[in-house]
C-alpha cells in the first residue's frame, strides 16, 4: 500500500467552471471554520500542524478530583504529503494517561497517536476538504476511559511541491520523495528502507517507547527487535517499567527523587514515597523531599508528629524534658536522678555518697570509720559505684568496702607492706612500717635465726663451728664444742685441734683422751 496526497480532484471543465468550484470550496471552508471544525484562520500555515485548542499535550492534567476528560476542542488542518503533528490533552482523573485512537475514517488510516505524550502524527494520503472523523480515547491510572470525536481537514498538496512519502508494502516501511502534479501525488513511493523512528514498522507510524531506533524499516531497540508492550527500550535494552529505577518510563528514577531517610517504590507506573523505619515527615513539604524527624528521639515530635515534649530547662537547670524510645520523659544532667517520678520537680536527687548506686538507700561507707580516710561515689561503666581511700598504713585487702580497710599492712606480719605478704618467723620477729624486721635490724641472713630480737648463728644450717653470729671457715661440726657455739678446747697440747674419735680431743698413745 502506498500513501499519497490529493489536493483537489482534477476537473475537466472550463475556466469559468474552475472559478465557480473554487469559490464554492472557499465558502465551505469559511462555514466549517465558523462551526469550530478545526479549519486554520486566514493566513495560517496549513502544513504546520500546530496545536490549536490542543492544550499542553498528553502529560497535562493530574489527580485534581475532577472527572477524566479530553479538553482539546479542535484539530489543526493537515496537508497531503506533509508530516502532521498535533498534541492533544486531557484533565482530571489520575495521571499519567494512556492515549489511543478508538475509531477513525478510512481516509485517516495514516493517523497515529503516541500512547504516552498524546501527539498525533503521520503523513496524509489524500485530501479531505470536508474533513474526516477520528475518535480519541484516553485512559488514566484508575482504568477510567474518556473519548472525544474530532474532525480533521486535509488540504491538497501544492502544485510542483516535492514532499516526503512513506510506504508500508510487505510490512516494511520505506521512505522517499514525491512531486505534486495537478494537486495530487503519484501512486507509488520510490525510496529506501526507513531509518526514521517517527515513520517505521509495519504501519509506518511512530515506534513508540518500545524502540529507540528504526533499522531497515523496522523498529528496533539497540541491535535487537523492539521490546514487548510491557517493556520500554531504555539505553538500548528492553527494560520492565515497574522497577524503582524505571517507573512508567525509562527516565523516571524514583530512588533518585527520594530525599534523606525516604524509601521509594514503583506502583502502577508511578513513584510512591514513604519514610524509612523510625523516621517521619513532620514538615509541610512532600515526603519525597525527606523525612527529617527521628521518631524515637525527636523532642518536638516524640513518637508522632506534633507530640512536643517542650524541652524547657526545669529545676534551676538541673534537668530537661526529652524524648526516649518515642516517649516524652525527663533527661537528667550529670550526677542527678529523677527518683520520685515527678517530672515537674525535675531530677531532685543528686548522685553522691549518700545516694550513689540507686535512688534513696544507697549510701557509701562513712569516712573516719573502719580506717577509711575518704569515701567517694565514682563513675563505673554506665552507672556509679562507691569507692574508698584507706588511712595511711591500712589496706582494703578483701576488696569489700562495707568493712573498710581491715588490714594494718604497716604492722601485720601476715600482711606486711602488701596484702598477703607474710614475714618469715625464723628470720624476723616483727613488721614495722610495712617492712619485715628482726628486732630493729631487718631480716636475718639465711644461715642465721632471729632470737630475742637478735640475729644469731643457726648451727643447724652452719656446716662448721659457730662463733657468735657467724660460722668459722674451715671448720666442721665434729670440731665444734658442746652446743655448737665454739670449738671445744683440746686436753692435750697440740698445734691445733684434731678430730676427736671418742670423748676428748687429741691423741696420746694412739687413743683419744
Amino acid at each position: 500500500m502506498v500513501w499519497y496526497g490529493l489536493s483537489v480532484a482534477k476537473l475537466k471543465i472550463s475556466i469559468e467552471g474552475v472559478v465557480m468550484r473554487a469559490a464554492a470550496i472557499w465558502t465551505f471552508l469559511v462555514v466549517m471554520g465558523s462551526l469550530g471544525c478545526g479549519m486554520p484562520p486566514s493566513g495560517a500555515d496549513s502544513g504546520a500542524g500546530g496545536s490549536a485548542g490542543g492544550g499542553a499535550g498528553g502529560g497535562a492534567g493530574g489527580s485534581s478530583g475532577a472527572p477524566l476528560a479530553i479538553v482539546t476542542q479542535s484539530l489543526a488542518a493537515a496537508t497531503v504529503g506533509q508530516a502532521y503533528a498535533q498534541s492533544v490533552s486531557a484533565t482530571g482523573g489520575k495521571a499519567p494517561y494512556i492515549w489511543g485512537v478508538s475509531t477513525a475514517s478510512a481516509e485517516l488510516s495514516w493517523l497515529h497517536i503516541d500512547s504516552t505524550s498524546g501527539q498525533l502524527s503521520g503523513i496524509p494520503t489524500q485530501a479531505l476538504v470536508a474533513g474526516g472523523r477520528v475518535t480519541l480515547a484516553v485512559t488514566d491510572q484508575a482504568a477510567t476511559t474518556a473519548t472525544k470525536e474530532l474532525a480533521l481537514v486535509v488540504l491538497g498538496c501544492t502544485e510542483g511541491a516535492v514532499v516526503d512519502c512513506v510506504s508500508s508494502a510487505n510490512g516494511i516501511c520505506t521512505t522517499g520523495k514525491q512531486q505534486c502534479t495537478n494537486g495530487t501525488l503519484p501512486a507509488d513511493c520510490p525510496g529506501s528502507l526507513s531509518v526514521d523512528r517517527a515513520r517505521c514498522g509495519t504501519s509506518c507510524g511512530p515506534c513508540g517507547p518500545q524502540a529507540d531506533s528504526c533499522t531497515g524499516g523496522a523498529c528496533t531497540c539497540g541491535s535487537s527487535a523492539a521490546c514487548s508492550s510491557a517493556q520500554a527500550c531504555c539505553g538500548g535494552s528492553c527494560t520492565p517499567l515497574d522497577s524503582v529505577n524505571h517507573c512508567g518510563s525509562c527516565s523516571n528514577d524514583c530512588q533518585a527523587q527520594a530525599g534523606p531517610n525516604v524509601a521509594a517504590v514503583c506502583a502502577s507506573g508511578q513513584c510512591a514515597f514513604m519514610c524509612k523505619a523510625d523516621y517521619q515527615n513532620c514538615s509541610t513539604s512532600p515526603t519525597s523531599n525527606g523525612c527529617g524527624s527521628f521518631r524515637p528521639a525527636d523532642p518536638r515530635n516524640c513518637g508522632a508528629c506534633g507530640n512536643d515534649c517542650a524541652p524547657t530547662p526545669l529545676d534551676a537547670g538541673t534537668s530537661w524534658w526529652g524524648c526516649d524510645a518515642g516517649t516524652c520523659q525527663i533527661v537528667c544532667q550529670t550526677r542527678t536522678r529523677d527518683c520520685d517520678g515527678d517530672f515537674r520537680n525535675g531530677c531532685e536527687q543528686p548522685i553522691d555518697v549518700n545516694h550513689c548506686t540507686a535512688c534513696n538507700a544507697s549510701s557509701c561507707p562513712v569516712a573516719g570509720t573502719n580506717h577509711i580516710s575518704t569515701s567517694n561515689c565514682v563513675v563505673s561503666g554506665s552507672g556509679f559505684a562507691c569507692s574508698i581511700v584507706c588511712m595511711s598504713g591500712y589496706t582494703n585487702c578483701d576488696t569489700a568496702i562495707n568493712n573498710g580497710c581491715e588490714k594494718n599492712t604497716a604492722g601485720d606480719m601476715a600482711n606486711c607492706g602488701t596484702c598477703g605478704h607474710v614475714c618469715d618467723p625464723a628470720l624476723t620477729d616483727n613488721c614495722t612500717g610495712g617492712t619485715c624486721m628482726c628486732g630493729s635490724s631487718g631480716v636475718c641472713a639465711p644461715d642465721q635465726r632471729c632470737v630475742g630480737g637478735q640475729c644469731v648463728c643457726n648451727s643447724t644450717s652452719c656446716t662448721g663451728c659457730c662463733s657468735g653470729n657467724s660460722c668459722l671457715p674451715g671448720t666442721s661440726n665434729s670440731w665444734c664444742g658442746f652446743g655448737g657455739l665454739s670449738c671445744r678446747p683440746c686436753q692435750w697440747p697440740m698445734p691445733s685441734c684434731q678430730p676427736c674419735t671418742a670423748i676428748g680431743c687429741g691423741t696420746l698413745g694412739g687413743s683419744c683422751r
Side-chain angles (χ1 to χ4, degrees):
M1 174 181 178
V2 177
W3 293 345
Y4 58 93
L6 179 62
S7 59
V8 180
K10 297 181 180 179
L11 302 176
K12 297 181 180 180
I13 57 179
S14 64
I15 298 300
E16 292 81 1
V18 172
V19 173
M20 292 176 64
R21 177 62 59 85
I25 291 173
W26 176 251
T27 301
F28 175 81
L29 295 177
V30 171
V31 172
M32 290 297 289
S34 66
L35 295 176
C37 296
M39 301 306 299
S42 176
D45 182 358
S46 60
S51 57
S63 302
S64 63
L68 179 66
I70 297 174
V71 297
T72 300
Q73 298 299 316
S74 62
L75 298 176
T79 300
V80 171
Q82 295 186 15
Y84 182 72
Q86 166 75 61
S87 292
V88 293
S89 61
T91 188
K94 186 178 181 180
Y97 305 133
I98 300 175
W99 290 89
V101 174
S102 178
T103 61
S105 302
E107 299 85 354
L108 298 180
S109 60
W110 55 270
L111 188 64
H112 306 281
I113 190 168
D114 186 277
S115 62
T116 302
S117 67
Q119 177 165 293
L120 293 166
S121 63
I123 299 178
T125 61
Q126 66 184 85
L128 294 171
V129 177
R133 311 299 293 181
V134 58
T135 300
L136 304 178
V138 63
T139 302
D140 68 1
Q141 294 301 308
T144 301
T145 300
T147 61
K148 191 168 192 174
E149 185 182 65
L150 297 170
L152 177 59
V153 172
V154 182
L155 304 178
C157 61
T158 303
E159 182 69 22
V162 177
V163 297
D164 294 332
C165 65
V166 294
S167 172
S168 60
N170 301 320
I172 299 295
C173 184
T174 59
T175 62
K177 298 288 185 180
Q178 293 175 317
Q179 186 173 25
C180 182
T181 304
N182 295 327
T184 188
L185 297 171
D188 60 342
C189 178
S192 58
L193 295 176
S194 175
V195 292
D196 184 357
R197 185 173 170 272
R199 298 181 298 175
C200 195
T202 58
S203 62
C204 279
C207 286
Q210 284 73 40
D212 62 359
S213 58
C214 179
T215 305
C219 294
T220 55
C221 178
S223 60
S224 303
C227 305
S228 66
S229 59
Q231 297 179 320
C233 185
C234 301
S237 300
C238 292
T239 304
L241 296 183
D242 57 357
S243 70
V244 69
N245 301 117
H246 304 283
C247 186
S249 69
C250 294
S251 59
N252 192 23
D253 187 341
C254 300
Q255 195 59 55
Q257 304 169 41
N261 308 313
V262 173
V265 296
C266 179
S268 301
Q270 287 187 301
C271 293
F273 303 93
M274 62 193 72
C275 295
K276 292 182 179 179
D278 287 334
Y279 286 90
Q280 57 190 354
N281 177 24
C282 297
S283 68
T284 58
S285 63
T287 295
S288 59
N289 289 354
C291 299
S293 171
F294 185 58
R295 185 184 295 109
D298 185 351
R300 293 292 184 182
N301 302 281
C302 188
C305 290
N307 187 24
D308 192 346
C309 295
T312 302
L314 302 174
D315 191 20
T318 60
S319 58
W320 286 265
W321 291 98
C323 178
D324 184 31
T327 302
C328 287
Q329 56 186 273
I330 206 163
V331 177
C332 296
Q333 282 189 340
T334 303
R335 305 190 76 87
T336 60
R337 285 195 187 97
D338 174 31
C339 288
D340 62 4
D342 186 354
F343 294 171
R344 293 170 297 179
N345 64 354
C347 299
E348 79 287 346
Q349 190 173 93
I351 298 175
D352 53 21
V353 293
N354 297 316
H355 313 91
C356 186
T357 59
C359 287
N360 303 323
S362 56
S363 299
C364 296
V366 179
T369 62
N370 296 327
H371 307 111
I372 298 173
S373 172
T374 307
S375 183
N376 299 309
C377 181
V378 298
V379 176
S380 177
S382 59
F384 293 86
C386 290
S387 173
I388 58 175
V389 177
C390 295
M391 292 181 178
S392 178
Y394 290 86
T395 305
N396 180 17
C397 289
D398 61 3
T399 69
I401 63 173
N402 291 333
N403 61 348
C405 305
E406 77 285 354
K407 298 299 181 181
N408 179 9
T409 50
D412 185 356
M413 288 188 66
N415 300 276
C416 190
T418 59
C419 296
H421 180 220
V422 180
C423 296
D424 187 344
L427 304 177
T428 62
D429 62 0
N430 71 91
C431 174
T432 301
T435 302
C436 294
M437 305 283 284
C438 177
S440 59
S441 301
V443 181
C444 295
D447 59 353
Q448 298 175 335
R449 66 179 183 274
C450 184
V451 178
Q454 297 292 324
C455 292
V456 298
C457 183
N458 184 3
S459 60
T460 61
S461 62
C462 184
T463 59
C465 297
C466 288
S467 175
N469 294 332
S470 62
C471 298
L472 293 176
T475 63
S476 65
N477 286 330
S478 59
W479 285 41
C480 296
F482 182 78
L485 295 178
S486 63
C487 188
R488 185 176 182 181
C490 295
Q491 299 298 316
W492 187 259
M494 295 292 289
S496 61
C497 292
Q498 298 295 326
C500 297
T501 58
I503 298 174
C505 186
T507 58
L508 179 64
S511 62
C512 183
R513 292 191 65 185

